[in-house]
Amino acid sequence: MNEVLRPLDTLNGARNKSVLVELKNGRQYVGKLRSFDIHVNTVLEECEEKVDGELKRKIGTTFIRGDTILFISVN
Amino acid sequence: MNEVLRPLDTLNGARNKSVLVELKNGRQYVGKLRSFDIHVNTVLEECEEKVDGELKRKIGTTFIRGDTILFISVN
Amino acid sequence: MNEVLRPLDTLNGARNKSVLVELKNGRQYVGKLRSFDIHVNTVLEECEEKVDGELKRKIGTTFIRGDTILFISVN
Amino acid sequence: MNEVLRPLDTLNGARNKSVLVELKNGRQYVGKLRSFDIHVNTVLEECEEKVDGELKRKIGTTFIRGDTILFISVN
Amino acid sequence: MNEVLRPLDTLNGARNKSVLVELKNGRQYVGKLRSFDIHVNTVLEECEEKVDGELKRKIGTTFIRGDTILFISVN
Amino acid sequence: MNEVLRPLDTLNGARNKSVLVELKNGRQYVGKLRSFDIHVNTVLEECEEKVDGELKRKIGTTFIRGDTILFISVN
Amino acid sequence: MNEVLRPLDTLNGARNKSVLVELKNGRQYVGKLRSFDIHVNTVLEECEEKVDGELKRKIGTTFIRGDTILFISVN
């Protein structure tokens, strides 16, 4: 293992893959990770908003402001 | 795909197009994306405020402070 | 249109004009835009505080701290 | 009018005059503006705390942390 | 009066004197001002926590994080 | 003991070990600490979300935004 | 007394001693102060979480994120 591995490296490895973004307000967004930056601003493609696991809205290509994000699960 | 694609590039591609800005307090603003900056401060033209999908107010050219924004859907 | 147009340029075009400043706590301030800075700290002249569209207080020349602002409508 | 007028210039013009500082939590402080800085940290002399316009406490020379401030009325 | 007087100068003049620190959550701390920094992090000696003016706890030499502070009364 | 020991050194010593991350909203995440940065953004592998000590969800490799974190217990 | 004494100097003098860390959410952590940084990120050893003065959990060596901290009592 590389001692200087950083959290953003993990996001970088998930580009173009489906990820789950969970926000501080409890909402969930699932979509293909297109890009992110050091503020964790994140763009998802074909983004779906879910509440309690159920699809609520399809909102297409979506820029999510990083400071609203709780976690990003990359599995 | 370009590995160094950044979230603001997606916003840049949406200039002069209609976007949906959803705030942390749940309000929605729809309008033509005129400009934005690194703080995600955003100016919409012909901006309409919506609550639960219904038009509440027309507020014209509007500067939205970036730290209030949850997401921007560019579809 | 100039590709590098920025949100503060829109505020700059509204100097000396009447603007509506809506805060995160729901209050509204209407007055002549005298100045602003990169934090969106804003000074309004002849500033009127409104609640639900009704005049509540006249507070004259007023410095509004930028981080309290939701949007500024410049129409 | 000078195009590069900034919000802090307005505060600078109010030094040694009585100002009203209203906080995000609704409290009001009235006193003589002694000093301020770029964070809008503010020192009032002979500062009086008011609730609904009525005097609650006299707290003398008082340093108010800038990030608690909603607005400063300089009239 | 010196035009470039700054808020921290007022705190500097209160070193080793008794001050009242009131927090955003309403708590009050009274003690001798030992030190502070630009973030308004503050150390009080023989610090007493008060609620509604009544002594609640004696907590000795105490480091108070600046971003929790509403005001510091230096009288 | 080294006088210049820093908090992130403690996290560095916990790489590849199981840690407990508790968030400001009360949620707990347990997993293997893969990486972290100066903002305390943290990546856990085989991450399990727990509520009141009971497993709620398995969310795999997960990036947790640092500003949501209350503490990280490294034992 | 040294005029340039700073708040972090007080924390530095408390290294390896037992301190009380009280958070903005009311929780208390007692333990041996191992390290801290300019953000007031703090590591306690043999850390005990207390609620209303009663032991709730032993969480061992613990990294506490600085922005959650209200005060650190070093007596």
Side-chain angles (χ1 to χ4, degrees), chain A residues 16 27 59 61 63 65 67, chain B residues 1 22 24 66 72-73 75:
Chain A
N16 291 319
R27 291 197 203 168
I59 54 176
T61 300
F63 172 101
R65 202 169 191 272
D67 72 325
Chain B
M1 182 190 139
E22 188 151 323
K24 292 173 181 169
I72 302 175
S73 170
N75 279 54

Side-chain angles (χ1 to χ4, degrees), chain D residues 9-57:
Chain D
D9 296 333
T10 294
L11 295 185
N12 206 40
R15 281 181 189 258
N16 291 320
K17 295 177 184 164
S18 179
V19 300
L20 163 64
V21 177
E22 188 151 323
L23 302 193
K24 291 173 182 170
N25 68 6
R27 292 196 202 168
Q28 296 177 323
Y29 295 91
V30 175
K32 191 170 73 168
L33 180 61
R34 185 168 182 173
S35 62
F36 61 89
D37 63 22
I38 57 167
H39 307 293
V40 201
N41 294 321
T42 299
V43 171
L44 299 185
E45 292 183 333
E46 298 169 31
C47 180
E48 299 187 344
E49 187 181 65
K50 298 191 172 184
V51 174
D52 296 329
E54 287 200 20
L55 178 63
K56 186 178 161 199
R57 284 188 290 179

Side-chain angles (χ1 to χ4, degrees), chain B residues 12 15-16 23 25 27 29 34-37 41-43 57 59-65 67-68, chain C residues 1-8 10-11 20 22 24 28 39-40 66-67 69-75:
Chain B
N12 207 38
R15 281 180 189 259
N16 291 319
L23 302 193
N25 68 7
R27 291 197 203 167
Y29 295 91
R34 184 170 182 173
S35 62
F36 60 90
D37 63 22
N41 294 322
T42 299
V43 171
R57 283 189 291 180
I59 54 177
T61 300
T62 300
F63 172 101
I64 301 174
R65 202 170 191 271
D67 72 326
T68 68
Chain C
M1 183 190 139
N2 185 342
E3 272 293 79
V4 297
L5 186 72
R6 295 157 303 179
L8 295 183
T10 295
L11 295 185
L20 163 64
E22 188 150 324
K24 291 173 182 170
Q28 297 176 323
H39 307 293
V40 200
D67 72 326
I69 293 176
L70 196 79
F71 71 71
I72 302 175
S73 170
V74 304
N75 278 55

Side-chain angles (χ1 to χ4, degrees), chain C:
Chain C
M1 183 190 139
N2 185 342
E3 272 293 79
V4 297
L5 186 72
R6 295 157 303 179
L8 295 183
D9 295 333
T10 295
L11 295 185
N12 206 38
R15 282 180 189 259
N16 291 319
K17 295 177 184 165
S18 179
V19 299
L20 163 64
V21 177
E22 188 150 324
L23 302 193
K24 291 173 182 170
N25 68 7
R27 292 196 202 168
Q28 297 176 323
Y29 295 91
V30 176
K32 191 169 73 169
L33 180 61
R34 184 168 182 174
S35 62
F36 60 89
D37 63 22
I38 57 167
H39 307 293
V40 200
N41 294 322
T42 299
V43 171
L44 298 185
E45 291 183 334
E46 297 168 30
C47 181
E48 299 188 343
E49 187 181 65
K50 297 192 172 184
V51 174
D52 297 328
E54 288 200 20
L55 177 64
K56 187 178 162 199
R57 285 188 289 180
K58 295 188 180 187
I59 54 176
T61 300
T62 300
F63 172 102
I64 301 174
R65 201 169 192 272
D67 72 326
T68 69
I69 293 176
L70 196 79
F71 71 71
I72 302 175
S73 170
V74 304
N75 278 55

Side-chain angles (χ1 to χ4, degrees), chain E residues 2-68:
Chain E
N2 185 344
E3 273 292 79
V4 297
L5 187 71
R6 295 157 303 180
L8 295 183
D9 296 334
T10 295
L11 294 186
N12 206 39
R15 280 180 189 258
N16 291 319
K17 295 177 184 165
S18 179
V19 300
L20 163 64
V21 177
E22 188 151 323
L23 302 193
K24 292 174 182 169
N25 67 7
R27 292 196 202 168
Q28 296 177 323
Y29 295 90
V30 176
K32 191 169 73 168
L33 180 60
R34 184 168 182 174
S35 62
F36 60 90
D37 63 22
I38 57 167
H39 307 293
V40 201
N41 294 322
T42 299
V43 171
L44 298 185
E45 292 183 335
E46 297 170 30
C47 181
E48 299 188 345
E49 188 182 64
K50 297 190 173 185
V51 174
D52 296 329
E54 287 200 21
L55 178 63
K56 186 178 161 199
R57 283 188 291 179
K58 296 189 178 185
I59 53 176
T61 301
T62 299
F63 172 102
I64 301 173
R65 201 169 192 273
D67 71 326
T68 69

Side-chain angles (χ1 to χ4, degrees), chain A residues 13-60:
Chain A
R15 280 181 190 258
N16 291 319
K17 295 177 184 165
S18 179
V19 300
L20 163 64
V21 177
E22 188 151 323
L23 301 193
K24 292 172 180 170
N25 68 6
R27 291 197 203 168
Q28 297 176 323
Y29 296 91
V30 176
K32 191 168 74 168
L33 180 61
R34 184 169 182 173
S35 62
F36 60 89
D37 63 22
I38 58 167
H39 307 292
V40 200
N41 294 321
T42 298
V43 171
L44 298 186
E45 292 183 334
E46 298 169 30
C47 182
E48 299 188 344
E49 187 181 65
K50 297 191 172 185
V51 174
D52 297 329
E54 288 198 20
L55 178 63
K56 187 180 161 198
R57 284 189 289 180
K58 295 188 180 187
I59 54 176

